[in-house]
Amino acid sequence: MSILDEILEGVREDLEEREREVSSAELRARVDDLPPPLDPLPAFRGPGLSIVAEVKRRSPSKGALAEIADPALLAREYEAGGASAISVLTERRRFGGSLADLAEVRKAVDIPVLRKDFVVSPYQLWETRAWGADLALLMVVSLPGGLLDDLYGLTRELGLTAVVEVHTEAELERAANIGAEVIGINARDLTTLEVDRSVFPRLVEHVPQGEVRMAESGVSGVADVMAYRDAGADAVLMGEVLVRSGRPRATVEEFIRAAR
């Protein structure tokens, strides 16, 4: 069993518990009362490099990263620094996140919010929308067969923007085939947790023209951000380097200035 398989096993167990507590009908009712999601595409496709700044407490590869007592405050710092969107990790067991974090961040900022989790079920997308997110992460590696197509279709029905994440050429081909508008190229192999920054420049040339190219993982400083920009990234998603910096607003500002 790979590390990813272990994570997904826990995700499904937690999902079953939430499904017992909140029915699908209740989620749909919540969604009906919400304003439309925010559209991140104008920022991602605009001039300059977009920063997607992440609220991230832990990771399977590094363990505890930062004590984040107030995710809303952190998100406001990111927004003040110029981030184009906020990513919130909601997986509980390995990342220490929650849907409560997502709700707090949504209330605190005026820019799009991404729910970052291991989505394997339509229920999770209804959750994503019900708790106020504007974007949802779909990891191709964990969505076999027609499940990727079905979940991508549901994101569109709900008005969510999907970040379709890939790590290999075969996964990128599947993302392109469903018409993904935002393709996240993750330098981290989720089955081993190893990081290879060469993955982005190798795959980005195969992203269909006009689609948003988002680099994920492997950012430890300005040089990495510049390398992703020079390789063709429209946006860079980062978490660890920001939460460990102790100065999230200034660090986002620094990366944006360097990317100009």
Side-chain angles (χ1 to χ4, degrees), residues 157-226:
E157 289 177 28
L158 292 171
L160 296 166
T161 299
V163 177
V164 183
E165 181 181 290
V166 305
H167 180 72
T168 67
E169 287 188 29
E171 291 171 7
L172 176 54
E173 183 176 0
R174 291 184 64 203
N177 286 342
I178 64 170
E181 292 183 288
V182 182
I183 295 179
I185 299 175
N186 197 345
R188 188 181 304 280
D189 183 342
L190 294 177
T191 64
T192 65
L193 301 185
E194 294 180 0
V195 172
D196 179 1
R197 292 186 185 88
S198 72
V199 170
F200 183 85
R202 188 168 68 249
L203 295 188
V204 72
E205 62 185 49
H206 302 295
V207 174
Q209 187 69 27
E211 310 302 10
V212 174
R213 301 159 295 185
M214 183 181 294
E216 302 178 38
S217 300
V219 174
S220 59
V222 168
D224 298 318
V225 175
M226 298 281 283

Side-chain angles (χ1 to χ4, degrees), residues 54-55 86-90 98 101-102 105 113-116:
E54 194 157 79
V55 177
I86 308 296
S87 171
V88 183
L89 269 157
T90 59
S98 68
D101 287 348
L102 178 62
V105 169
V113 175
L114 163 68
R115 180 194 182 183
K116 191 175 180 187

